[in-house]
Amino acid sequence: MDIREIIIPGDTPGIEWRLPVLHFKGNDPQAPKIYLQAALHSNELPGTAVLHFLCGKLRKAESEGRIASDITVVPQANPIGAAQSHFGEMQGRFDLGTRTNFNRDFPLISLRDRAGLIESLDRYRAADRLKRELIHMALGADLVLDLHCDDESLQYAYIDEAFWPEASDLASALSMDAVLLSDGESSAFEEAVGFAWKYEVPGEKRSRLPGKLSTTLELRGRRDVYPGMASADADGLYAFLAARGAVTGETEPLAAFAGPAAPLDNIEMIRTPVAGTVLFHRNIGETVATGDLLATIVTKPGMADGEVEIRAPQAGLIVTRISDRLVRRRGDLMKIACDAPSTALRKAGTLED
């Protein structure tokens, strides 16, 4: 395993950020190239723990000469966000300087323009330099996995329809509870990678990308950082890499993915119409029917008319839930994966900011 550091100069004097990059050299030029990163949102650490355990397995395979693919691993992809603390709490999702989500505004380019991503980097702020370095590395790979987590959540993935159902082997290997099929219309990291592949010939969009994969894995909730979970997920990732030919000698057939695969249009984003204290009646992993009581919002504590009920607009699986118990009006409460499209309007791209 080789280790190098990418240095990101800060936007103020005397500051710089160091980004460790781990690399395993493959012995088969025909094997797919792999890129794995975690903690692009710096306070989402399940993926960092998973990659820690995965690297241990890869080092063992390397010592036995079984690494076929070039594998690049970035276990903590955002040192800028990791250093942002506001009143004692890490603010790892948004750049405090620009208020921009660290997983938005990645350059949307054709693959043939990859080299230009890291030219004249002095023109860019530190966060944009970081984004350009990350996507430049990813576009040198065939399989790109961006490890995130949600708030309180099942294990699920965002997978562009261009990669489905070929990518069901990944969902199976990680025992995903659900897959959300995205439309590839945002500037989030994994969709920017997919954009570059789709428009490898500028102006000509490819709808299918066999042999390629760029996806976001949501590894449960932010507090689900445990050795047993991380080790099991690392086993799952290793099994996926073996099935795709990245490592040799331990390939076992993967079971078919049995969970739901719902287009984003079929995701009910449950939001509260009022502000107040949340009393949840249903938990992640539960299947609900139309009209089921999901939550009560206490708007005026102690008053006879101080409650508002939130009910399920249609049947489905509760995939995520917020951990906050005091919410603003129109705040997100849950995501429910359903069989039918939601009647709520959804703009193309991501479900949340």
Side-chain angles (χ1 to χ4, degrees):
M1 182 181 77
D2 297 324
I3 305 172
R4 70 183 179 97
E5 284 188 329
I6 295 174
I7 297 176
I8 309 290
D11 297 326
T12 55
I15 298 294
E16 66 180 21
W17 314 103
R18 293 178 177 270
L19 181 70
V21 178
L22 317 182
H23 182 251
F24 296 86
K25 179 65 177 175
N27 56 33
D28 182 359
Q30 302 304 313
K33 292 180 172 58
I34 313 296
Y35 177 83
L36 310 169
Q37 73 176 26
L40 181 55
H41 290 145
S42 303
N43 54 351
E44 296 179 1
L45 295 172
T48 297
V50 170
L51 292 185
H52 172 71
F53 284 98
L54 178 64
C55 284
K57 298 177 72 67
L58 292 176
R59 284 194 298 272
K60 181 176 184 296
E62 182 181 49
S63 70
E64 298 168 355
R66 295 189 293 103
I67 300 288
S69 294
D70 284 345
I71 303 174
T72 300
V73 183
V74 184
Q76 291 182 302
N78 186 0
I80 300 173
Q84 293 184 158
S85 181
H86 185 62
F87 296 129
E89 183 175 350
M90 185 194 298
Q91 302 295 321
R93 186 176 182 85
F94 295 93
D95 178 6
L96 295 184
T98 63
R99 307 179 191 177
T100 302
N101 188 323
F102 282 112
N103 194 23
R104 302 291 185 273
D105 291 353
F106 278 87
L108 299 178
I109 64 164
S110 168
L111 181 60
R112 64 176 56 184
D113 297 323
R114 178 190 173 215
L117 287 167
I118 54 174
E119 293 177 354
S120 303
L121 284 175
D122 288 342
R123 295 182 296 159
Y124 300 100
R125 296 171 56 94
D128 291 326
R129 292 179 69 140
L130 174 66
K131 292 177 182 179
R132 286 175 168 267
E133 293 278 13
L134 292 174
I135 196 170
H136 178 266
M137 287 189 287
L139 286 177
D142 301 297
L143 305 179
V144 176
L145 307 184
D146 190 16
L147 278 55
H148 287 253
C149 68
D150 214 298
D151 199 349
E152 294 179 359
S153 175
L154 300 178
Q155 183 116 300
Y156 72 100
Y158 288 102
I159 300 180
D160 190 321
E161 292 172 339
F163 308 117
W164 192 259
E166 184 181 5
S168 61
D169 59 343
L170 175 63
S172 172
L174 280 164
S175 301
M176 289 283 172
D177 296 292
V179 167
L180 307 190
L181 298 175
S182 62
D183 49 25
E185 295 296 324
S186 82
S187 60
F189 175 82
E190 95 282 2
E191 295 196 342
V193 172
F195 183 97
W197 291 339
K198 291 175 187 177
Y199 291 96
E200 184 172 1
V201 177
E204 297 182 16
K205 182 179 180 180
R206 299 167 62 191
S207 60
R208 308 297 300 174
L209 295 164
K212 297 284 192 180
L213 177 59
S214 178
T215 183
T216 288
L217 304 180
E218 301 283 358
L219 302 177
R220 306 180 190 86
R222 281 200 293 168
R223 297 191 181 202
D224 292 323
V225 187
Y226 300 100
M229 279 185 176
S231 180
D233 288 342
D235 289 344
L237 277 184
Y238 189 86
F240 166 73
L241 294 177
R244 288 290 183 109
V247 292
T248 60
E250 297 184 21
T251 304
E252 295 183 5
L254 297 174
F257 174 61
L264 293 193
D265 285 341
N266 290 23
I267 305 303
E268 294 286 1
M269 295 294 295
I270 307 301
R271 296 183 171 93
T272 173
V274 294
T277 300
V278 183
L279 306 177
F280 280 116
H281 298 276
R282 306 302 292 263
N283 204 348
I284 58 172
E286 294 184 11
T287 300
V288 296
T290 302
D292 278 358
L293 181 62
L294 301 176
T296 298
I297 311 299
V298 179
T299 58
K300 295 181 287 185
M303 304 296 181
D305 61 347
E307 297 182 356
V308 173
E309 292 183 342
I310 309 295
R311 295 187 175 272
Q314 62 169 311
L317 173 70
I318 299 175
V319 179
T320 75
R321 194 176 75 171
I322 63 163
S323 60
D324 291 337
R325 294 300 184 263
L326 180 65
V327 294
R328 296 172 178 263
R329 182 167 55 88
R330 299 300 299 161
D332 294 338
L333 295 177
M334 292 176 167
K335 296 186 192 77
I336 303 179
C338 305
D339 291 332
S342 171
T343 59
L345 293 177
R346 182 184 74 84
K347 65 181 180 180
T350 56
L351 292 173
E352 300 164 289
D353 293 332

